[in-house]
Amino acid sequence: MLIAARPNVIVAVCPPPPPHGSKPVVGFGGCMVSRIPAWVAGAVFLGALPLSDAAAQADSGISRQDVERGVTVTSRQRRDYNPLGVRLGAFTLTGQIDGGPGYDSNLEGTKTNKKSDGFMDEAAAASLDSNWTRHGVGVSGNMDSRQYFNNSGYDWIDWDVGGYGRYDFNSVTNAEARYRHYRDHLDVNSIDVQSAGITRPVPYDSDEFQATGTTQFGRIGLVGTGLHRTYRYQDVVIGGVPNRISQNDFDTTIGALGTSYAFSQGRFANVIFRIQDISYQNQISQGRNSFTWEVLGGFTYDFDGVWQGRVAFGWRERSYKDPNLKNFAGPAIEGQLTWAPTLLTTVRFNVARTIEESIRADAVSFNRTQGGIGVDHELLRNVILSGDFRADYREYQSPNQTAFDGIFTATARYLVNRNLTVIGTYAYSRRFEASNGIPEFDRNLFQVRLRVAL
């Protein structure tokens, strides 16, 4: 998958991640992102409060950083509730564990003969990062798992571990390298898993290598990124019959070059060019090998501190090694708009159109269009309420199929203190429309978790 540039502070370089059904997709498809210094994108938002207000801010508990342009409900630092971590010389260790019970009303994503069950989730994360004024190194790891009470065949354990190193040549030029290994899975209610006749999670392993360089020439910022990622699927045995998912193993390599021009503070234009090569490892699947290119142009604009947005439009084409496979060509888009009507409420709009790989024997790739709206509200300093609706539309060329999914999620976070957080989540998923044999379904997911952080 190639995704439109995230020009502000992030450039997304996205290999084609498989669909993850129940797992929320962050940044559309779990893209590997490179954070770019603000001067490259020109997105530096300065506080507008006069210095004479400093005493009043201190008395009210509100700092200058809380009301700077660009600060949202979720990005605002809550110094009374943020975990402090552990200082280890020139490094900081952070970590958290959490877990709790939940209920899943439709394990397989079926319209009839629904199978429901309760479950327990456990998660853990840890990172060790340097505190140096120049350069930087760090390592991190994450784990997330689910065990159903009466249907252990649907259990899964995901984890990843990796590290990075950054060398700063000067204040405007740096180079960074990253490596991460993933153990992940395809969810049972994924269209690709359902269409393949599989009723179990499909595990896979992935190794990712990324190198990024950034620099600046006056108002012009440049960024170059290279990424290589592998996907290795595990075969799934159901009723004694093996499903050869491993024949879909592939490698992808992406190269991207982007530039930005700053017109003024918070207002700039961007252009990015990407190429992607996908190579399947099994000889029977090598006709799926493809080459993709895309060019996108866009802008990031801070209208008045209340409305901020970034958008990129362009064109994408994918061609296949097998001449019998129909090439993909069409518009590429990514956009995000943020509206902050008050300091306590943030509204988010987003849209993206991508190409993703499929594990189906009768389909290679599909166009995926995603869009959504989200609202975050700070009910109290330590009580955060969030609601999100995401629409997901998929178009397959051969066979000619479409599917339209909607996902609504409501979350409440209660920050007890620096180290304890209680999280309650409700998610409702529904396939509103599907054609040519793709099943329709709805699903309710309830969950309560207790998080303990360093």
Side-chain angles (χ1 to χ4, degrees), residues 226-263:
L227 180 145
H228 180 78
R229 185 164 180 174
T230 66
Y231 288 88
R232 301 293 182 266
Y233 297 95
Q234 291 188 9
D235 293 333
V236 179
V237 178
I238 301 177
V241 179
N243 292 266
R244 293 292 309 279
I245 311 300
S246 60
Q247 69 182 16
N248 295 291
D249 292 351
F250 68 92
D251 296 345
T252 181
T253 302
I254 298 175
L257 180 64
T259 183
S260 64
Y261 180 83
F263 296 103

Side-chain angles (χ1 to χ4, degrees), residues 53-72:
D53 288 345
Q57 295 169 35
D59 292 340
S60 66
I62 299 175
S63 70
R64 178 182 299 276
Q65 290 76 20
D66 291 331
V67 294
E68 284 184 343
R69 297 177 73 151
V71 174
T72 65

Side-chain angles (χ1 to χ4, degrees), residues 150-201:
N150 301 309
N151 296 272
S152 60
Y154 300 90
D155 296 351
W156 48 263
I157 300 177
D158 296 339
W159 57 272
D160 62 83
V161 61
Y164 73 93
R166 189 192 72 252
Y167 186 85
D168 299 324
F169 295 94
N170 53 47
S171 61
V172 297
T173 305
N174 65 60
E176 182 177 281
R178 292 177 176 267
Y179 165 75
R180 186 158 294 273
H181 176 81
Y182 299 87
R183 161 59 67 89
D184 213 325
H185 77 281
L186 307 183
D187 200 67
V188 176
N189 62 15
S190 160
I191 293 176
D192 287 351
V193 175
Q194 292 176 329
S195 299
I198 301 172
T199 56
R200 293 292 186 272

Side-chain angles (χ1 to χ4, degrees), residues 97-101 119-124 142-149 156-158 447 449-450:
I97 58 173
D98 67 66
F119 60 84
M120 283 292 295
D121 269 5
E122 304 86 23
N142 303 276
M143 185 278 292
D144 194 7
S145 66
R146 176 170 297 173
Q147 294 81 42
Y148 286 93
F149 297 147
W156 48 263
I157 300 177
D158 296 339
Q447 190 174 24
R449 302 174 77 138
L450 175 64

Side-chain angles (χ1 to χ4, degrees), residues 387-417:
D388 293 271
F389 175 77
R390 179 165 57 89
D392 187 345
Y393 184 68
R394 305 187 186 201
E395 303 167 88
Y396 294 85
Q397 289 190 157
S398 178
N400 184 16
Q401 294 177 321
T402 60
F404 175 66
D405 292 359
I407 303 172
F408 170 76
T409 305
T411 303
R413 290 190 297 139
Y414 172 46
L415 312 179
V416 181
N417 53 42

